[in-house]
Amino acid sequence: AQTVTQSQPEMSVQEAETVTLSCTYDTSENNYYLFWYKQPPSRQMILVIRQEAYKQQNATENRFSVNFQKAAKSFSLKISDSQLGDTAMYFCAFMKRGGAQKLVFGQGTRLTINP
Amino acid sequence: SQTIHQWPATLVQPVGSPLSLECTVEGTSNPNLYWYRQAAGRGLQLLFYSVGIGQISSEVPQNLSASRPQDRQFILSSKKLLLSDSGFYLCAWGVGGGEQYFGPGTRLTVT
């Protein structure tokens, strides 16, 4: 079974700073996806970024980028020029490719952006 | 574009009462559908998923059940709620590309 671990329960940075959220996972699979989801106070889960395991290039979406280290089973999220609206819970998630495509979530990191 | 609806948004039910939460998806056909539960301050736990009408797979043994009577409708039910059923319930849909998209959720409090 796959597991996802987020070792930082809470983080806090000043607006405009860069912050990196950590995630490690454990799997014996070779074909999979990794995701970061954001859950603001409204509790709506919002997809931030997706990485396909067979792609060596790190995914980027505007101010959000990942550092995917497949051998180390590490998948960190970097938020550049952080904004107050980035305040949220962030969840790392794993999905085995194919089949029912079930998500396995980490426990989350609560990120606060201070003005 | 695709949208996903869940209702009700908030529900307070006594122990032992029945439950029915509904999820519908618009703008896509034959999606995979998922029910997740989130305990306070925790990650999401997959409860049920469905790859087609009438096809339900359970991930966690519990007193909840799910049904998919139509292609884009997914229902979470219970005959008798327990205190431990309290939580935030999220429905999601996905297609072959891997991403899952979530509904706004239902906050259930069992008293």
Side-chain angles (χ1 to χ4, degrees):
Chain A
Q2 291 80 21
T3 58
V4 178
T5 302
Q6 293 179 248
S7 58
Q8 304 152 311
E10 294 187 22
M11 295 187 71
S12 178
V13 299
Q14 295 300 119
E15 192 176 7
E17 289 184 346
T18 294
V19 60
T20 299
L21 308 183
S22 301
C23 172
T24 59
Y25 58 95
D26 187 24
T27 185
S28 58
E29 301 291 335
N30 195 45
N31 292 318
Y32 52 88
Y33 302 101
L34 293 164
F35 304 89
W36 280 97
Y37 279 87
K38 168 184 176 181
Q39 188 179 40
S42 68
R43 301 195 77 174
Q44 173 86 48
M45 291 288 286
I46 301 166
L47 177 63
V48 175
I49 200 164
R50 177 186 100 157
Q51 176 78 41
E52 298 181 56
Y54 71 87
K55 290 186 177 179
Q56 290 186 335
Q57 186 174 7
N58 289 322
T60 299
E61 289 287 341
N62 301 314
R63 297 183 295 108
F64 299 87
S65 61
V66 298
N67 183 3
F68 173 48
Q69 301 290 328
K70 190 173 183 179
K73 296 181 181 176
S74 171
F75 184 60
S76 62
L77 175 70
K78 185 172 82 171
I79 305 174
S80 302
D81 185 25
S82 57
Q83 301 174 359
L84 297 178
D86 295 332
T87 293
M89 284 288 288
Y90 285 82
F91 293 96
C92 179
F94 171 98
M95 177 191 286
K96 175 185 171 184
R97 194 167 178 166
Q101 299 193 320
K102 298 178 283 186
L103 281 168
V104 177
F105 284 88
Q107 291 301 298
T109 296
R110 183 177 303 278
L111 175 65
T112 302
I113 309 299
N114 299 307
Chain B
S1 64
Q2 300 85 7
T3 56
I4 179 169
H5 305 279
Q6 282 186 247
W7 64 89
T10 305
L11 191 59
V12 180
Q13 292 284 92
V15 168
S17 63
L19 173 74
S20 181
L21 302 182
E22 189 165 343
C23 170
T24 59
V25 181
E26 296 176 357
T28 187
S29 296
N30 196 31
N32 290 345
L33 295 173
Y34 307 84
W35 278 111
Y36 293 88
R37 178 169 59 200
Q38 184 178 29
R42 303 294 298 274
L44 277 69
Q45 179 186 40
L46 179 62
L47 301 176
F48 299 95
Y49 67 92
S50 172
V51 298
I53 296 175
Q55 301 179 60
I56 308 295
S57 296
S58 174
E59 288 292 296
V60 181
Q62 59 218 325
N63 74 320
L64 299 173
S65 62
S67 62
R68 185 172 177 172
Q70 300 180 44
D71 181 44
R72 290 169 285 179
Q73 184 184 29
F74 205 24
I75 297 172
L76 183 69
S77 304
S78 174
K79 292 182 180 179
K80 289 185 178 182
L81 283 169
L82 306 173
L83 285 174
S84 58
D85 291 324
S86 292
F88 190 62
Y89 289 82
L90 287 150
C91 180
W93 71 272
V95 290
E99 296 95 337
Q100 285 185 20
Y101 299 95
F102 287 79
T106 295
R107 186 187 307 273
L108 172 65
T109 303
V110 182
T111 61

